[in-house]
Amino acid sequence: MVESQENRSDDVAKGGISAMLWRPGVLVPVVLALVGTVAVPKLVRELPELSEYPAYQLSRSAVQVIPEKPDWVPEDFLLSVTGSEKWPEDGTSLLDATLVERVAEAFAEHRWVAEVERVERRVPAGVVVRLAFRRPVAWIETDSGRVAVDVTGVRLPGEDLVGETAERYPVVRGVTSQTPATDGVAWNDPSVVAAAQLAVELESYWEPFDLVAIVVKRRDPTGNSVGDHMILELLTRGGSRVVWGRSPSTGHPGELTTAQKIGRIMQFISHFDSLDPPDGPFEINIRHWHEIIFRSLKSASARSRTLRVLR
């Protein structure tokens, strides 16, 4: 009796499963899954190879750079990158696993590129490259001529800077260290970096203050240009010297901030109408906390005078 009840239960269960499988909502997906396991691999094998289509092949004419190159970067910038040995050959598939890396390497090799931030593939047949360009901020005077640098002291292709573009950058004098042999290499001298940083800070004041050069002074007889042994001065068109002090990035507790020093220069100009008054030129020391100290450079024995700092 018990056995017959169990058999009937099994029959009911099997019948329930069978009935459920034959329902349209269940049967259709099951059939499609079975067909897919057979048909899909065959369809995939018969699909065309996308890399064979021009829309999926890299084209040099479809390279977009963001942002657009600045005016100091030469007109042939993009042509020189896409024509370099590192650039992928024409017809390289956009689906190539190495494409992004190869494009990035080609741009990173260029002397005006500070960083390749991103490379994106685009269909049809192109890439979008986001770059950070190096920006010239100063000329370093050397025995062999002027060398352009960015704010980090990296040597730049000075031959690309001509005409008005070349004349807009301050000149730095007094650097005695060896110039980097090639462009795109950092100048390993703290005085170069300090002067470049000061050139950036004074960018909008250079012409109004009538400045002509940043001068590196060394107070250490050994020629050390590091830290407290390096002082920067500003040279005016009329011959006055403004004693600026340490690098704008110094953390020395006794040094005034860049804003305070610029304020002192502006106060002196407001009082005398210029950094080069008629009885000048002067040495103008703006480093003191409570006063601006200045003396005439016409006589070595000239007495110093002071101008109380406005609060």
Side-chain angles (χ1 to χ4, degrees):
M1 184 69 176
V2 173
E3 183 179 352
S4 62
Q5 289 178 348
E6 290 177 351
N7 290 338
R8 282 200 299 273
S9 297
D10 290 343
D11 292 340
V12 170
K14 291 176 180 177
I17 293 173
S18 177
M20 182 182 68
L21 289 174
W22 283 102
R23 292 176 182 172
V26 176
L27 182 60
V28 172
V30 171
V31 172
L32 290 176
L34 291 173
V35 171
T37 59
V38 177
V40 169
K42 184 177 180 180
L43 287 173
V44 170
R45 287 194 299 270
E46 294 181 359
L47 284 174
E49 179 61 47
L50 292 178
S51 61
E52 296 178 358
Y53 284 80
Y56 289 87
Q57 295 175 343
L58 180 63
S59 169
R60 300 184 188 209
S61 61
V63 179
Q64 181 183 0
V65 172
I66 300 176
E68 292 185 6
K69 73 167 192 66
D71 60 359
W72 59 82
V73 175
E75 291 296 329
D76 66 349
F77 164 71
L78 188 55
L79 183 63
S80 65
V81 172
T82 58
S84 70
E85 292 182 357
K86 289 188 177 295
W87 187 259
E89 57 274 10
D90 287 339
T92 299
S93 172
L94 290 181
L95 306 179
D96 188 317
T98 67
L99 178 72
V100 168
E101 181 181 356
R102 292 160 67 190
V103 169
E105 286 181 353
F107 274 97
E109 192 178 55
H110 199 280
R111 300 170 296 178
W112 282 111
V113 173
E115 181 184 3
V116 180
E117 297 176 345
R118 186 177 179 84
V119 177
E120 299 176 3
R121 313 170 205 246
R122 293 287 174 88
V123 178
V127 289
V128 177
V129 186
R130 186 173 294 277
L131 301 174
F133 287 96
R134 292 192 172 104
R135 183 171 76 92
V137 299
W139 291 103
I140 310 298
E141 279 193 353
T142 70
D143 292 339
S144 56
R146 301 190 307 179
V147 178
V149 296
D150 72 0
V151 70
T152 66
V154 170
R155 173 175 171 163
L156 299 176
E159 65 273 13
D160 292 341
L161 306 175
V162 295
E164 293 183 1
T165 301
E167 297 306 316
R168 74 175 69 163
Y169 307 114
V171 173
V172 178
R173 299 172 182 169
V175 173
T176 58
S177 57
Q178 185 66 36
T179 308
T182 58
D183 296 324
V185 176
W187 199 323
N188 189 24
D189 183 343
S191 67
V192 171
V193 177
Q197 292 174 347
L198 182 54
V200 172
E201 296 290 350
L202 295 176
E203 194 168 23
S204 60
Y205 301 98
W206 197 256
E207 290 188 12
F209 288 172
D210 209 19
L211 302 173
V212 295
I214 297 171
V215 182
V216 176
K217 294 284 187 178
R218 293 171 175 80
R219 299 297 174 87
D220 185 351
T222 65
N224 193 336
S225 64
V226 180
D228 294 343
H229 299 297
M230 178 184 63
I231 298 295
L232 300 175
E233 292 185 354
L234 304 174
L235 183 64
T236 70
R237 196 171 303 279
S240 291
R241 299 200 310 260
V242 179
V243 182
W244 177 272
R246 297 180 178 89
S247 164
S249 62
T250 182
H252 196 283
E255 196 77 14
L256 299 176
T257 66
T258 296
Q260 287 174 316
K261 292 178 181 179
I262 291 175
R264 307 263 168 110
I265 294 175
M266 295 176 73
Q267 181 183 342
F268 189 93
I269 293 174
S270 177
H271 188 84
F272 290 101
D273 295 326
S274 169
L275 290 174
D276 295 304
D279 56 340
F282 289 108
E283 179 187 78
I284 307 164
N285 195 327
I286 59 173
R287 303 181 66 200
H288 298 278
W289 284 93
H290 303 296
E291 56 195 8
I292 301 169
I293 301 176
F294 60 99
R295 66 179 183 85
S296 174
L297 292 175
K298 290 181 178 179
S299 171
S301 60
R303 296 181 59 184
S304 295
R305 292 182 280 169
T306 62
L307 185 63
R308 191 74 179 175
V309 173
L310 299 177
R311 296 295 180 184

